[in-house]
Amino acid sequence: MSIISKDISKAIQLLTDENIVAIPTETVYGLAGNIYSKKAITSIFETKKRPFFNPLIVHIPSIDSLSTIVENIPEKAQLLADAFWPGPITLVLKKKAIIPDLITGGKDTVAVRVPNHPTTLELLKQLDFPLAAPSANPFSSISPTTAQHVETYFKDTLKMVLDGGACKSGIESTIIGFENDEPIIYRLGSTAIEDIEAIVGKIEIKNTVTEAPKQKTIPNAPGMLARHYAPKTKTVLTDNIPKALEQHQNLRIGLLVFDTEIENDAIKTQIVLSKTGNLKESASKLYDALHQLDTFDLDIIIAEKFPDNGLGKSINDRLNRATK
Ligand code: TXA
Ligand code: MG
């Protein structure tokens, strides 16, 4: 039997009983549990096979709940929350003592956001606790943007996926931390950097972390480990498609391109993300395209580099991580 359901009251029951439920958001599906339940939170980490040092995002129903979670709110954090919530921005702020260390990987900060999805906002309003939710994929693999993606990953270990349709934004939230009360981008995401800069001025990107296995210190946002969001199929990112096709011509090639279909006999299958050259549309379809390409028994996925502005920057970040 399918674990996919639209029944909010069933999700409420399961979550209240300290179970975990996959929930829709505007970015990607999350694997959610009561932030105050050790059982639920442990289950999130175990289901995802995620290391405990990698902290979780806390999802709240509205900006009004923020002060119950965090200690103090820098002026620019307030401006960003006012401008973008509900929406795909996560703020990393000093946590209140009530937030369990299990959520934050022992850090004194907590990541928090108000997701912009009607089903999940309704769910959060009816619960009397916030939900911790990492993306609902096994550690390092492609994030899910449909209920079916989640079911494929977790049908044997999860009781329910709350169905909210395909995610509209399609890549994770932009994560913003604060150093001396000044905002810094820890993870590029569904809110374009230009839109953030329009609110708080020029902002630094500390999208720092590179080699995951050799990692000695815990990165600022551990989701920035080099290999992440990755298909099983070997993936390369290029701004010279003809050259890449020539280099790999004896392999079974899948192609992922921005707006223009390429004609070449070496290509076994090809996905064009936006025929009108729209970055928002491309972002919303990116993970589904990678999920699809992964099912074609290809030797290699060749992905085209996107324009390095707006959401193109975030798409390039994810494609780059998929190649590691
Ligand atoms: O769009 C999203 O953000 C989705 C949906 C479900 O809300 N969630 C998501 O969660 O992408 P996850 O766990 O896959 O990525 C959260 C990232 C991780 O890289 C984690 O290291 C970082 O947030 N993070 C969480 N708490 C943090 C903290 N206190 N300081 C720095 N980074 C933190
Ligand atoms: Mg994730």
Side-chain angles (χ1 to χ4, degrees):
M1 214 181 79
S2 174
I3 58 171
I4 299 173
S5 161
K6 286 190 178 356
D7 187 349
I8 294 195
S9 52
K10 184 177 165 195
I12 290 173
Q13 191 59 54
L14 285 166
L15 289 163
T16 306
D17 291 343
E18 301 187 77
N19 293 293
I20 60 175
V21 171
I23 57 165
T25 81
E26 79 282 33
T27 59
V28 300
Y29 275 72
L31 203 55
N34 176 352
I35 64 163
Y36 303 117
S37 161
K38 192 170 175 203
K39 179 183 164 223
I41 302 308
T42 306
S43 169
I44 290 175
F45 282 100
E46 284 171 353
T47 304
K48 268 186 76 90
K49 300 199 166 41
R50 172 170 172 140
F52 280 99
F53 70 73
N54 195 349
L56 306 179
I57 296 176
V58 172
H59 295 70
I60 54 175
S62 79
I63 201 168
D64 303 335
S65 316
L66 183 59
S67 55
T68 62
I69 309 282
V70 306
E71 201 58 71
N72 68 323
I73 306 170
E75 197 186 326
K76 288 185 178 173
Q78 187 69 47
L79 286 175
L80 289 169
D82 287 339
F84 294 109
W85 283 355
I89 272 203
T90 294
L91 301 175
V92 176
L93 298 168
K94 187 123 178 21
K95 83 177 188 79
K96 280 213 160 130
I98 189 174
I99 303 299
D101 285 341
L102 199 51
I103 300 285
T104 65
K107 286 169 174 281
D108 63 358
T109 53
V110 61
V112 56
R113 80 181 191 100
V114 182
N116 189 14
H117 191 292
T119 308
T120 288
L121 282 174
E122 179 60 32
L123 176 69
L124 285 166
K125 280 185 186 127
Q126 291 198 37
L127 294 169
D128 52 13
F129 47 82
L131 292 174
S135 52
N137 52 284
F139 189 59
S140 300
S141 51
I142 313 164
S143 299
T145 53
T146 65
Q148 287 71 26
H149 292 157
V150 183
E151 185 173 56
T152 304
Y153 281 141
F154 296 123
K155 56 181 170 309
D156 299 328
T157 48
L158 191 64
K159 291 195 169 82
M160 179 179 177
V161 184
L162 181 59
D163 190 2
C167 302
K168 291 215 166 77
S169 300
I171 51 182
E172 295 82 351
S173 60
T174 302
I175 300 182
I176 300 186
F178 291 83
E179 294 174 16
N180 301 318
D181 287 351
E182 282 303 309
I184 290 175
I185 294 192
Y186 285 165
R187 176 176 76 181
L188 292 164
S190 268
T191 303
I193 180 164
E194 292 85 348
D195 294 343
I196 294 166
E197 288 183 332
I199 306 292
V200 293
K202 191 87 192 136
I203 187 166
E204 187 189 341
I205 304 177
K206 258 197 198 169
N207 219 351
T208 45
V209 176
T210 48
E211 304 285 318
K214 292 183 211 140
Q215 197 68 34
K216 288 214 176 61
T217 53
I218 299 175
N220 267 337
M224 298 325 321
L225 294 172
R227 183 180 162 79
H228 215 103
Y229 317 106
K232 293 194 193 76
T233 314
K234 179 184 159 64
T235 303
V236 296
L237 180 61
T238 178
D239 50 16
N240 189 340
I241 298 265
K243 187 165 163 220
L245 287 172
E246 200 182 302
Q247 275 171 349
H248 302 288
Q249 56 185 315
N250 298 320
L251 301 180
R252 290 174 57 84
I253 298 174
L255 197 62
L256 181 64
V257 295
F258 178 26
D259 55 1
T260 310
E261 189 171 336
I262 307 276
E263 280 188 38
N264 187 304
D265 291 342
I267 302 166
K268 293 280 174 281
T269 180
Q270 171 166 196
I271 298 180
V272 181
L273 283 176
S274 171
K275 293 209 162 99
T276 59
N278 183 312
L279 291 171
K280 206 167 155 53
E281 182 185 14
S282 301
S284 74
K285 292 184 174 166
L286 176 69
Y287 287 155
D288 188 59
L290 291 174
H291 279 282
Q292 281 186 47
L293 289 169
D294 232 3
T295 63
F296 280 107
D297 191 29
L298 302 165
D299 297 318
I300 192 163
I301 298 170
I302 297 174
E304 180 178 32
K305 225 182 224 154
F306 275 65
D308 199 37
N309 62 279
L311 292 178
K313 247 192 186 3
S314 308
I315 293 171
N316 285 336
D317 174 82
R318 297 305 191 271
L319 284 174
N320 193 32
R321 286 170 205 288
T323 65
K324 297 285 157 57

